């Protein structure tokens, strides 16, 4: 007796896949747009690093991208802001932007580090997070979430948040520059 799930009927899924291609395309396009926007927004933090360290953009980018996780990059920026940014209001704004970005990052990470569950027609029915959660008593392999109208609406909302975040970030940068010049 095997512990493995049954092997998918690839021929049937491939034969029926044309009937579900619109659903997959929509969902995967939203994930692609999320990645595109998230990546561009993450890169804006290079300017924050540049201002906090008082260095040129190229040097800031080298420091930023030498760190190999977003978590490490944001931690560095948070620590530098506590050390180098004396304006408490601007520091609070930066902290708020970092928190906002971290919330969006959770959605991005969930969709980039999951398995996609397909039905017999090739439609994506669920995502299964590959995140391990541990309590004192148990270890869980991430949650399973349906891919339905509610989930698509959540993605649309996240993309709207990234759009707003981008505008808020660009509006913040001159305030940070002025605060660092004081």
């Amino acid at each position: 007796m095997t512990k493995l799930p049954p092997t998918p009927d690839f021929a049937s899924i491939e034969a029926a896949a044309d009937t579900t291609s619109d659903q997959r395309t929509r969902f995967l396009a939203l994930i692609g747009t999320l990645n595109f926007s998230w990546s561009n927004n993450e890169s804006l933090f290079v300017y924050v690093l540049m201002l906090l360290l008082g260095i040129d953009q190229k040097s800031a980018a080298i420091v930023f991208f030498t760190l190999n996780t977003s978590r490490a990059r944001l931690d560095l920026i948070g620590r530098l802001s506590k050390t180098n940014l004396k304006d408490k209001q601007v520091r609070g704004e930066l902290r708020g932007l970092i928190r906002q970005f971290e919330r969006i990052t959770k959605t991005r990470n969930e969709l980039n580090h999951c398995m996609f569950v397909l039905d017999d027609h090739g439609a994506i029915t669920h995502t299964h997070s590959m995140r391990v959660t541990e309590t004192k008593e148990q270890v869980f392999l991430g949650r399973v979430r349906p891919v339905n109208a509610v989930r698509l609406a959540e993605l649309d909302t996240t993309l709207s948040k990234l759009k707003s975040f981008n505008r808020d970030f660009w509006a913040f940068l001159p305030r940070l520059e002025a605060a660092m010049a004081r």
Side-chain angles (χ1 to χ4, degrees):
M1 185 90 166
T2 182
K3 295 179 181 180
L4 298 172
T7 302
D9 181 352
F10 295 112
S12 294
I13 292 171
E14 289 168 0
D18 283 348
T19 64
T20 59
S21 66
D22 288 346
Q23 183 262 5
R24 283 191 317 279
T25 299
R26 166 114 166 89
F27 185 56
L28 295 174
L30 287 170
I31 293 171
T33 303
L34 173 67
N35 281 310
F36 168 79
S37 184
W38 181 91
S39 182
N40 281 341
N41 280 301
E42 183 196 32
S43 296
L44 291 175
F45 284 103
V46 168
Y47 299 121
V48 172
L49 194 57
M50 176 183 77
L51 295 171
L52 290 174
L53 290 173
I55 59 179
D56 63 280
Q57 182 182 347
K58 184 177 181 180
S59 297
I62 289 169
V63 171
F64 189 80
F65 292 112
T66 297
L67 299 171
N68 54 347
T69 66
S70 290
R71 175 77 273 136
R73 294 167 183 156
L74 295 177
D75 284 348
L76 175 62
I77 288 168
R79 290 175 184 143
L80 287 171
S81 73
K82 290 175 186 175
T83 304
N84 298 352
L85 181 56
K86 304 305 177 206
D87 186 315
K88 289 181 181 182
Q89 181 177 344
V90 174
R91 192 175 342 137
E93 285 183 69
L94 177 56
R95 203 171 28 251
L97 286 168
I98 289 171
R99 275 193 234 113
Q100 191 178 353
F101 189 73
E102 288 171 335
R103 285 191 296 274
I104 293 167
T105 297
K106 286 180 183 180
T107 301
R108 179 240 178 221
N109 287 347
E110 176 188 353
L111 291 167
N112 279 280
H113 305 288
C114 72
M115 287 192 322
F116 298 97
V117 180
L118 305 178
D119 68 11
D120 292 340
H121 300 287
I124 301 171
T125 61
H126 293 79
T127 58
H128 190 166
S129 172
M130 293 290 99
R131 182 181 178 134
V132 174
T133 304
E134 189 172 346
T135 66
K136 286 183 180 181
E137 305 291 323
Q138 292 181 298
V139 175
F140 300 96
L141 181 58
R143 67 182 185 174
V144 176
R145 295 193 58 208
V147 175
N148 54 21
V150 171
R151 188 80 177 281
L152 296 177
E154 285 176 15
L155 271 173
D156 283 331
T157 299
T158 300
L159 290 171
S160 292
K161 288 178 182 177
L162 273 167
K163 186 177 180 180
S164 294
F165 175 84
N166 189 273
R167 284 152 178 76
D168 293 345
F169 204 102
W170 279 106
F172 167 75
L173 286 172
R175 290 193 296 279
L176 175 60
E177 184 175 42
M180 292 304 296
R182 289 192 285 274

